[in-house]
Amino acid sequence: MQTSGDILDPLALLRLYIEWGADEALEETPQSRLGATLATLDMPGRNAGGPDQLPPRPHPAGAGMGAAAGHTPAAARIARAASQAQPDNPNNIASTGEPAAVVSAREAAKAVPDLAALQQALRDFDGCALKKTATNLVFADGNPAASVMLIGEAPGADEDRQGKPFVGVSGQLLDRMMGAIGLDRSTFYITNVCFWRPPGNRKPTEAELAALMPFVIRHIELVNPKVLVMVGGSSAQGLLGTNDGITRLRGRWFEFHAPGLPAPIPALPLFHPAYLLRQPGLKREAWRDLLKLKMRLASLA
């Protein structure tokens, strides 16, 4: 438990904000909401002239989907990196002010001709620090020729050890969910938006997802499934370019577009099985969503 002395430490306060979920600045200049009371305290490292100010957080050039004035939602920034996976004029990429990792990922992803080359390109990619802390690259499992492609969030400890997605407890539940509508790993293909396990099973950061998104988009283009299933909030938000939570997105059909696809792909967000294990009361809604998936597949047969 943090003491009052800890809360007066700016770094401890920032850590507390992150634990509470406040992980994105909404203004260029940090604001003290405690007013003059905090400004008069003799805090370690504080300048005599007043409260310390953190460097303003730069915003990427341009505006994202659903962006408010002067602020681009995280999911929209990730989606923009995805939508430019195969730019018409790659020489102009640097002018957008994008991180070097995103530019490097886009160049590497657009050059791969097949899934084996994509997997090797990910092994060679050094633009995501998660690679250094993970045990294995977790690429994909199942049948790449199947009509259904599932995209989850990030590997956990079991997946990291085995190098395959969804093999732990939540993966076993997902297999049972798919089995309930007649699908198994011979009739669907499965991957994640993040190919390495984040330390402590934390959520991937915006920067990590943006760096990997061109590979995810190329993965979808190469498989070209009839139906795309987005398993969990990070997957749905990143691929759809929205900040809406999974409770608002699940069970609704969307169209997924990418430059290398011959046509848009119907896309359905689902609750992540790990979330259902924590919230078993939502399994009824998850079953309804699975029935929608079954009906759509029957209509495409």
XYZ file of all heavy atoms in Angstrom, residues 38 45 49 104 123 138 157 180 196 215 226 231 235 238 282 299:
115
model
N -0.357 21.696 -3.585
C 0.752 20.851 -3.991
C 1.968 21.679 -4.373
O 3.100 21.306 -4.111
C 0.324 19.964 -5.164
C 1.334 18.917 -5.632
C 1.665 17.972 -4.496
C 0.804 18.171 -6.826
N 13.307 16.852 -5.693
C 13.538 17.067 -7.107
C 12.734 18.198 -7.692
O 12.797 18.455 -8.891
N 11.080 27.171 -8.756
C 10.132 28.042 -9.424
C 8.727 27.502 -9.455
O 7.822 28.213 -9.894
N 10.056 0.610 -40.323
C 10.812 -0.616 -40.591
C 9.883 -1.816 -40.726
O 10.057 -2.656 -41.621
C 11.822 -0.846 -39.462
O 12.484 -2.071 -39.627
N 10.973 -12.932 -36.989
C 12.151 -13.380 -36.232
C 13.309 -12.391 -36.388
O 14.083 -12.163 -35.462
C 12.586 -14.769 -36.701
C 11.597 -15.883 -36.397
C 12.185 -17.256 -36.723
N 11.193 -18.302 -36.636
C 10.782 -18.858 -35.491
N 11.308 -18.447 -34.357
N 9.874 -19.820 -35.501
N 5.549 -16.287 -30.969
C 4.267 -17.005 -31.057
C 3.587 -16.534 -32.335
O 2.998 -15.453 -32.373
C 3.397 -16.740 -29.818
C 2.071 -17.498 -29.930
C 4.132 -17.151 -28.550
N 1.999 -17.077 -20.587
C 3.157 -17.890 -20.212
C 3.168 -19.230 -20.941
O 4.221 -19.680 -21.423
C 3.166 -18.106 -18.699
N -18.197 -25.804 -30.039
C -19.651 -25.767 -29.869
C -20.367 -25.383 -31.156
O -21.568 -25.659 -31.304
C -20.021 -24.793 -28.752
N 4.850 -11.636 -29.247
C 5.711 -12.008 -28.121
C 4.983 -11.701 -26.824
O 4.190 -10.748 -26.747
C 7.029 -11.240 -28.147
C 7.948 -11.637 -29.253
C 8.782 -12.718 -29.286
C 8.143 -10.959 -30.496
N 9.481 -12.751 -30.467
C 9.111 -11.693 -31.231
C 7.601 -9.801 -31.065
C 9.541 -11.294 -32.496
C 8.028 -9.412 -32.325
C 8.986 -10.158 -33.030
N 2.739 -6.197 -39.686
C 2.870 -7.652 -39.826
C 1.504 -8.329 -39.680
O 1.214 -9.315 -40.371
C 3.830 -8.203 -38.779
C 5.259 -7.765 -38.959
C 5.821 -6.824 -38.115
C 6.045 -8.286 -39.978
C 7.134 -6.413 -38.278
C 7.357 -7.886 -40.157
C 7.907 -6.943 -39.302
N -12.434 -15.905 -45.178
C -13.789 -15.440 -45.484
C -14.375 -14.634 -44.328
O -15.198 -13.736 -44.538
C -14.694 -16.632 -45.788
C -14.348 -17.363 -47.087
C -15.326 -18.498 -47.352
C -15.000 -19.221 -48.654
N -15.946 -20.342 -48.905
N -10.602 -11.523 -31.216
C -10.820 -12.071 -29.879
C -10.207 -11.137 -28.843
O -8.992 -11.115 -28.648
C -10.211 -13.484 -29.758
C -10.540 -14.092 -28.401
C -10.704 -14.386 -30.890
N -7.336 -6.542 -29.775
C -7.412 -6.958 -31.165
C -8.466 -6.153 -31.918
O -8.195 -5.610 -32.999
C -7.733 -8.453 -31.239
O -7.955 -8.865 -32.565
N -7.468 -2.302 -32.162
C -6.361 -2.034 -33.059
C -6.722 -2.229 -34.525
O -6.345 -1.439 -35.379
N -21.049 -13.648 -18.428
C -21.130 -13.135 -19.791
C -21.094 -14.241 -20.839
O -21.130 -13.961 -22.032
C -19.974 -12.158 -20.046
C -20.001 -10.872 -19.213
C -18.742 -10.048 -19.470
C -21.248 -10.052 -19.530
N -24.055 -19.057 -44.287
C -24.484 -18.273 -45.446
C -23.405 -18.164 -46.511
O -23.707 -17.913 -47.678
C -24.914 -16.873 -44.986
O -23.787 -16.104 -44.570
